[in-house]
Amino acid sequence: MRISAERIANTTVVKKLVAIAHELSRLSEEGIEAVAICYGSYGMGKSQSLKSQFLKRALQLDIAVVKGHPKMDTPNKVIRAIATALKCPSGRSFDDTLRYLIAFSKKRKAVIAVDEAEYILAHRDTAAVIKLVLEETLYPFLLIGNQNLPKLVARHGSLDERVIKEISLDTFTKNDVKELLKILEIEADPEAAFKLAQKYGLSVLKFVNAMKLIKRSTDKPQKKLIEEMFKRIVARV
């Protein structure tokens, strides 16, 4: 199967992002300042999910994506990146751009997704920009990053108070297992596969990699073979 493990795992990530983005949009319409945190291991397909056409079709609402990076280390850089993502004009100064955003928010509703948000949250003054834009525009924020993200958000109390949900993208459900087995075209007991994945603490990506290895020998694996492969994945042998 040529499709990458990351892209397959991506299906579960997209579903979670769609659900939380809709909740954020609804809360914003009710006048509630809302932030959600989605975090997970490297290679889970978080960034790819934000670019996927499936996500855009499933959302049926506006999503503006800001990509965090190490050089985004001043408030002006952050607010200009937010404005650019929204296709809103930027001013010469921070205050000018903020005024543009406030006016723009009355015309265009959107959810602002910040990918690799840990870079922006690493500095108190740049993290404060998210809170300020949220307060002034009611644009809800979906913060996406690595496993340290919840701790970073907790350091900024006024932002942490507005968090309505934290979601781990590493965990997955019985329905996710069913869907992944279907995509991989593997005939296995989803209940048994799910329980074994829980037993060995597999992430979505590790589960997919294990099942792809199994498929090399059979597309109808028994429970014993699945468990042996999960052990190998965990032990990295």
Side-chain angles (χ1 to χ4, degrees):
M1 182 174 289
R2 292 181 181 178
I3 188 167
S4 71
E6 287 84 356
R7 191 172 165 196
I8 296 167
N10 194 23
T11 60
T12 63
V13 174
V14 167
K15 286 193 300 182
K16 291 176 181 179
L17 291 179
V18 167
I20 194 61
H22 275 290
E23 187 171 352
L24 285 170
S25 180
R26 178 182 59 79
L27 291 171
S28 177
E29 288 174 3
E30 294 174 7
I32 297 171
E33 297 170 10
V35 176
I37 302 170
C38 289
Y39 61 95
S41 305
Y42 175 78
M44 277 299 302
K46 300 184 293 295
S47 298
Q48 291 90 336
S49 296
L50 290 172
K51 298 174 186 175
S52 75
Q53 290 302 311
F54 173 71
L55 175 66
K56 292 172 184 175
R57 288 195 301 270
L59 275 174
Q60 295 183 335
L61 55 85
D62 232 343
I63 185 160
V65 180
V66 176
K67 180 75 171 179
H69 56 79
K71 292 185 178 179
M72 200 176 284
D73 53 1
T74 68
N76 200 41
K77 287 179 182 177
V78 174
I79 201 165
R80 288 176 70 88
I82 291 171
T84 299
L86 287 163
K87 296 182 173 61
C88 167
S90 297
R92 290 187 177 182
S93 71
F94 180 92
D95 289 340
D96 286 342
T97 303
L98 179 60
R99 279 192 288 271
Y100 279 128
L101 280 170
I102 293 169
F104 196 75
S105 68
K106 294 175 172 59
K107 303 172 187 175
R108 179 185 175 188
K109 301 302 178 186
V111 173
I112 300 174
V114 183
D115 189 23
E116 298 193 43
E118 55 268 22
Y119 290 116
I120 295 174
L121 294 169
H123 309 283
R124 189 165 294 279
D125 55 349
T126 51
V129 176
I130 293 176
K131 172 182 169 287
L132 181 62
V133 172
L134 176 63
E135 288 176 336
E136 296 293 338
T137 66
L138 272 182
Y139 280 131
F141 279 83
L142 174 56
L143 305 179
I144 301 165
N146 62 29
Q147 291 156 317
N148 293 323
L149 192 59
K151 290 180 181 178
L152 283 171
V153 174
R155 284 166 45 185
H156 307 286
S158 55
L159 187 61
D160 191 45
E161 289 171 357
R162 291 161 172 80
V163 173
I164 55 105
K165 189 166 287 187
E166 284 184 16
I167 297 176
S168 169
L169 300 176
D170 287 330
T171 58
F172 59 118
T173 67
K174 212 177 297 181
N175 284 335
D176 292 331
V177 169
K178 278 185 183 179
E179 186 173 343
L180 291 170
L181 290 174
K182 185 177 178 182
I183 293 169
L184 288 161
E185 298 179 349
I186 292 175
E187 294 180 31
D189 180 1
E191 178 78 25
F194 175 67
K195 286 181 178 178
L196 286 171
Q198 283 191 313
K199 178 180 176 181
Y200 291 99
L202 296 193
S203 66
V204 179
L205 189 56
K206 285 184 177 178
F207 175 85
V208 171
N209 278 326
M211 298 311 293
K212 286 188 76 175
L213 288 171
I214 288 171
K215 191 174 172 67
R216 290 179 182 178
S217 57
T218 178
D219 56 8
K220 296 180 181 179
Q222 297 300 308
K223 181 179 176 180
K224 184 179 179 181
L225 176 59
I226 294 172
E227 183 159 20
E228 286 174 359
M229 187 56 71
F230 284 5
K231 283 180 182 178
R232 282 181 57 190
I233 288 288
V234 171
R236 297 184 180 183
V237 294

